[in-house]
Amino acid sequence: MLAFIGGTGLTRMDGLTVIHRHNIDTEWGEPSAAVVEGELAGKRVLFLARHGDPHVLLPHQVNYRANVAALKQAGASEIVAVNAVGGITARAPTAAIVVPDQIIDYSYGRETTYFDKRIAPVVHVDFSWPFAPSLRQRLLSALSKVDAQAINGGCYGATQGPRLETAAEISRMESDGCDIVGMTGMPEAVLARELELPYAMLSLVVNPGAGKSDREITMEEIEAVIHAGMGKVCEALTALVADA
Ligand code: HPA
């Protein structure tokens, strides 16, 4: 079953008819919210609100291990994660929807693996290409049916938050090769890889990264873009399910 992880601006999904709410406890603790099983475009899907429902958890407070494990326990076979991001390069203008193909992780102090229980053998998963190519292609094809600017590829830089970056940090991230910046892509993506769940991301650009415009970044500005953009994201997810 296809599973969605909704980020800021996507705590509940338009068009999803709820069938069951799974209150799942995992070996790694409790997920951010109940895993919602529902019907979208006539098919069964799972949905989890990354920051809780209501939205209360900051990016570094999210129990990513419990979230990904809970989706697997509820029957997920692949995950599409949605997040709001800042744009760094010209490739990622505000309001565009990026399907990234790479990640650089700048976050710290998070639980980043399921393999820390001293079980033999030690496992090092391959993460050269963090996103599942075929799921990315399906997402791009779904996005082509929606009136939105879709961007194929880009590097997602995962920062710790909850504060936004300094202009110098964004400039360093740009030299590193990052196109977009967000706070939740890691360790979520690698945990999905460890559980062998194909994973891809839809990143809605909601503001220019720090120092990339001459205005201060305000929550009002971000919320206005999120409001319009998440509607398009939901349309794309519905098209993805309809095509599956
Ligand atoms: N930086 C980090 N995370 C974000 C941003 C940003 O500018 N915008 C939305 N999420």
Side-chain angles (χ1 to χ4, degrees), residues 84-87 159 163-165 170 181-183 206-210 217 222:
V85 296
T159 56
R163 67 166 177 86
L164 294 165
E165 299 68 39
I170 290 294
V181 52
M183 302 175 191
V206 297
N207 60 279
I217 304 171
I222 291 183

Side-chain angles (χ1 to χ4, degrees), residues 64-75:
Y64 296 95
R65 290 198 295 193
N67 282 358
V68 177
L71 286 175
K72 178 128 185 169
Q73 269 172 245

Side-chain angles (χ1 to χ4, degrees), residues 99 137-150 236 239 243:
V99 182
Q137 286 313 318
R138 279 158 53 209
L139 272 175
L140 287 162
S141 138
L143 275 167
S144 70
K145 298 176 184 141
V146 174
D147 175 26
Q149 187 183 358
D243 288 350

